[in-house]
């Protein structure tokens, strides 16, 4: 792949997944969620993960976070084997999962309280993130006073407060309307460029996957395997509307749809 000048250098490995297999046992028997998954993610990369429902995408993120144990294979974060819940990650879920009785600021600072971070430094970082995500003026609002997109921005701030090495996002914009989702995509793209954080994003939207990522992982139906890893050979700085019209964008999006077995169309 050619390297546009403003593409972030893949200097180091942030996440290394090797021969990962995850099996779950229940009363109904055994389910193999992931089978022999291998993935190396460089520091500062943005990797999108797409695949059919139930193929193990959430499981993959949970294993990287140390919340689910592998049945086979290994996972490393920054060269260190993952054993138990990891501290140096941020996790954003489909629903914002905010505490209804805490203000925007207090919801974000929850991260600092749980980690015992320096209060003053955390407050300064919180204020910076609030500005960066356009939440200025809503510091003291309660979650029910915010739109869905704003709530998800609070959740993103909370996940970024401790400046995690790796940001894991599991369908973070799935519950938003199309226009808000588009705005959040633009914002997340900017934030990624500004912070240089490594991101693993699970999404069902092909357009979202391609617009945001420098690589897209396409997974097979369960047991989830990686069927193809696609480079997105577009500049790191991307305008939303014009990027969608680029031949490279269309090529990657169509290939993903082909692999997922759906007819080419735009969303
Ligand atoms: N804790 C668990 N116990 C038992 N089975 C589980 C558990 N977690 C996940 N599974 C099973 O593993 C498989 C993969 O689940 P996972 O949630 O990772 O899929 P997914 O790709 O995230 O799906 P979706 O796109 O619908 O969110 C599914 O068959 C699911 O039922
Ligand atoms: Mg899932």
């Amino acid at each position: 792949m050619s390297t546009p000048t403003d593409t972030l250098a893949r200097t180091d490995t942030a996440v290394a997944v090797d021969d990962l297999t995850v099996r779950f046992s229940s009363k109904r028997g055994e389910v193999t969620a992931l089978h022999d998954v291998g993935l190396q993610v460089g520091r500062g990369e943005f990797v999108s993960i797409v695949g059919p429902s139930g193929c193990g995408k959430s499981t993959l993120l949970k294993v990287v976070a140390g919340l689910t144990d592998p049945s086979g294979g290994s996972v490393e974060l920054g060269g260190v084997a993952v054993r138990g819940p990891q501290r140096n990650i941020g996790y954003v879920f489909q629903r914002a999962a905010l505490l209804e009785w805490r203000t925007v600021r207090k919801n974000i600072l929850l991260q600092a309280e749980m980690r015992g971070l320096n209060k003053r430094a955390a407050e300064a970082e919180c204020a910076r993130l609030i500005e960066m995500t356009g939440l200025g003026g809503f510091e003291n609002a309660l979650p029910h006073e915010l739109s869905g997109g704003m709530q998800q921005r609070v959740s993103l701030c909370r996940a970024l407060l401790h400046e995690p090495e790796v940001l894991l996002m599991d369908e973070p914009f799935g519950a938003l309307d199309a226009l808000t989702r588009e705005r959040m995509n633009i914002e997340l793209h900017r934030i990624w460029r500004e912070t240089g954080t490594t991101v693993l994003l699970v999404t069902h939207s092909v357009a979202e996957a391609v617009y945001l990522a420098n690589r897209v992982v396409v997974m097979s139906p369960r047991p989830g395997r990686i069927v193809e890893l696609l480079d997105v050979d577009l500049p790191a700085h991307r305008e939303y509307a014009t990027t969608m019209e680029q031949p490279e964008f269309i090529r990657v999006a169509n290939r993903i749809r082909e692999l997922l077995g759906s007819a080419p169309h735009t969303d």
Side-chain angles (χ1 to χ4, degrees), residues 97-110:
L98 302 176
L99 300 178
E100 285 300 328
W101 60 92
R102 291 183 75 133
T103 63
V104 162
R105 220 176 122 265
K106 291 261 180 191
N107 261 291
I108 298 169
L109 286 169
L110 184 68

Side-chain angles (χ1 to χ4, degrees), residues 170-231:
D170 197 350
E171 297 185 51
F173 310 132
L176 304 179
D177 65 87
L179 212 62
T180 309
R181 186 173 192 155
E182 200 174 297
R183 291 207 189 101
M184 291 298 292
N185 278 189
I186 294 166
E187 218 157 282
L188 176 60
H189 178 60
R190 186 175 52 76
I191 290 167
W192 170 66
R193 283 174 50 77
E194 281 178 20
T195 58
T197 305
T198 309
V199 184
L200 285 184
L201 168 86
V202 169
T203 177
H204 280 283
S205 161
V206 173
E208 182 170 284
V210 182
Y211 169 68
L212 289 168
N214 66 294
R215 282 197 296 159
V216 181
V217 173
V218 182
M219 294 180 65
S220 69
R222 196 183 62 239
R225 300 164 188 265
I226 294 180
V227 285
E228 206 158 298
L229 255 170
L230 294 142
D231 281 325

Side-chain angles (χ1 to χ4, degrees), residues 1-159:
M1 130 184 188
S2 69
T3 314
T5 46
D6 59 347
T7 297
L8 288 164
R10 289 183 207 164
T11 47
D12 206 349
T13 305
V15 182
V17 177
D18 269 310
D19 287 340
L20 177 68
T21 295
V22 178
R23 281 183 289 271
F24 293 108
S25 310
S26 70
K27 275 180 238 155
R28 278 165 279 111
E30 198 170 77
V31 171
T32 304
L34 294 169
H35 184 75
D36 272 356
V37 170
L39 177 67
Q40 308 275 325
V41 181
R43 233 175 261 284
E45 270 203 275
F46 195 121
V47 173
S48 295
I49 302 166
V50 297
S53 181
C55 77
K57 302 179 296 296
S58 297
T59 303
L60 178 58
L61 291 198
K62 283 180 198 157
V63 175
V64 171
L67 301 173
T68 294
D69 291 332
S71 312
S74 66
V75 178
E76 287 182 357
L77 269 181
V80 179
V82 169
R83 298 205 205 293
Q86 298 296 296
R87 288 181 67 83
N88 207 6
I89 55 152
Y91 217 125
V92 182
F93 301 93
Q94 183 167 5
R95 302 244 166 226
L98 302 176
L99 300 178
E100 285 300 328
W101 60 92
R102 291 183 75 133
T103 63
V104 162
R105 220 176 122 265
K106 291 261 180 191
N107 261 291
I108 298 169
L109 286 169
L110 184 68
Q111 182 78 268
E113 290 166 29
M114 287 170 65
R115 290 168 185 271
L117 302 181
N118 176 288
K119 201 161 169 251
R120 277 180 63 181
E123 279 173 357
E125 180 63 9
C126 175
R128 199 183 68 80
L129 286 167
I130 283 175
E131 280 312 311
M132 183 163 90
T133 53
L135 286 167
F138 289 89
E139 291 85 348
N140 296 316
L142 290 167
H144 77 267
E145 298 172 302
L146 306 176
S147 69
M150 290 164 88
Q151 291 185 17
Q152 210 47 316
R153 272 182 263 167
V154 176
S155 166
L156 184 58
C157 289
R158 188 176 57 192

